[in-house]
Amino acid sequence: ETGVTQTPRHLVMGMTNKKSLKCEQHLGHNAMYWYKQSAKKPLELMFVYNFKEQTENNSVPSRFSPECPNSSHLFLHLHTLQPEDSALYLCASSQMAGSLTGGIGNTIYFGEGSWLTVV
Amino acid sequence: AQSVTQLDSHVSVSEGTPVLLRCNYSSSYSPSLFWYVQHPNKGLQLLLKYTSAATLVKGINGFEAEFKKSETSFHLTKPSAHMSDAAEYFCVLTGGGNKLTFGTGTQLKVEL
């Protein structure tokens, strides 16, 4: 157990469906992340939240909509996805210092991922 | 700009023999480097990290890595492979900020 819990672990959805992925961390961290892991590709950072504020959107299509109601919870709302969006979506958390101090060396802890299949 | 290069996409070893997974990095900042392992259908688990303290870092499950600034390398080693070590391994770099740069991964296969 890493202290980062993702639900559901597996999700199959049609292209017209709306669904959400949920992530919860029990580590007292103040930064949370969504990553996408596709077959044969490096992990792709999607979004970063620090203290509930989005600090990075890595050119993610608007059909992915993140929500961070507090430092312990992070959602990824999914709408009108495409088959190429099928992937493993990993949530992570860490302590995050301010941008000047950078948080260098702060370990990022990952959840076990949500396998998404778009049909 | 920063980058991580994992030199081997696949490594195959026999059980009981040493493991070497290679990682080279490039960073404009003093780097922090991590190795994560991902078993099938699982998330990423931290094996070890280097953050400018001792250059030889010991991690879980008998793994260790040595930070060599002159060679810009952070190779992962284990003296004796076990079947349970079969997984994908990621070398990861942070430089400025908390943004991680991932290598493309090395799939380790352990044979009897």
Side-chain angles (χ1 to χ4, degrees):
Chain A
E1 290 297 325
T2 64
V4 181
T5 304
Q6 290 187 240
T7 54
R9 293 296 315 282
H10 298 272
L11 177 64
V12 179
M13 61 185 287
M15 289 191 284
T16 58
N17 290 159
K18 287 186 183 180
K19 297 284 185 185
S20 296
L21 306 180
K22 179 183 175 182
C23 178
E24 183 174 0
Q25 58 96 0
H26 310 276
L27 300 168
H29 290 160
N30 45 42
M32 296 189 77
Y33 311 76
W34 280 115
Y35 282 85
K36 177 183 178 183
Q37 186 177 32
S38 305
K40 302 187 190 305
K41 288 175 131 182
L43 267 77
E44 302 170 55
L45 177 64
M46 300 175 73
F47 301 103
V48 182
Y49 278 81
N50 292 316
F51 298 97
K52 304 187 300 177
E53 299 298 320
Q54 188 180 118
T55 56
E56 185 149 355
N57 177 337
N58 202 22
S59 302
V60 181
S62 60
R63 58 186 184 269
F64 294 92
S65 173
E67 179 191 359
C68 189
N70 55 61
S71 292
S72 299
H73 293 87
L74 183 64
F75 295 89
L76 188 63
H77 302 301
L78 313 170
H79 177 49
T80 59
L81 296 192
Q82 304 298 311
E84 60 264 29
D85 297 322
S86 299
L88 177 66
Y89 289 84
L90 290 164
C91 174
S93 72
S94 74
Q95 285 299 118
M96 178 64 182
S99 59
L100 290 179
T101 52
I104 291 174
N106 287 332
T107 303
I108 292 186
Y109 293 89
F110 288 84
E112 299 220 326
S114 293
W115 285 98
L116 173 66
T117 303
V118 182
V119 297
Chain B
Q2 57 187 41
S3 66
V4 174
T5 302
Q6 289 185 243
L7 295 153
D8 308 293
S9 59
H10 293 83
V11 170
S12 184
V13 300
S14 298
E15 191 176 31
T17 64
V19 176
L20 170 63
L21 305 182
R22 298 183 294 166
C23 173
N24 286 101
Y25 70 90
S26 173
S27 177
S28 304
Y29 304 90
S30 294
S32 292
L33 289 152
F34 305 76
W35 276 98
Y36 284 85
V37 60
Q38 186 176 30
H39 288 92
N41 302 318
K42 296 284 190 181
L44 276 74
Q45 180 185 16
L46 179 70
L47 275 180
L48 50 80
K49 72 176 185 180
Y50 165 78
T51 56
S52 76
T55 55
L56 182 62
V57 181
K58 293 187 185 298
I60 61 171
N61 301 334
F63 284 94
E64 62 182 40
E66 186 170 8
F67 174 74
K68 291 188 177 180
K69 186 175 181 179
S70 60
E71 298 176 12
T72 60
S73 70
F74 189 58
H75 300 334
L76 181 70
T77 60
K78 183 173 179 177
S80 176
H82 191 272
M83 294 298 290
S84 61
D85 296 326
E88 188 155 24
Y89 292 79
F90 293 92
C91 182
V92 182
L93 166 72
T94 66
N98 220 34
K99 185 173 178 177
L100 302 185
T101 299
F102 282 80
T104 50
T106 298
Q107 191 71 43
L108 175 65
K109 183 177 179 181
V110 182
E111 298 171 319
L112 285 171

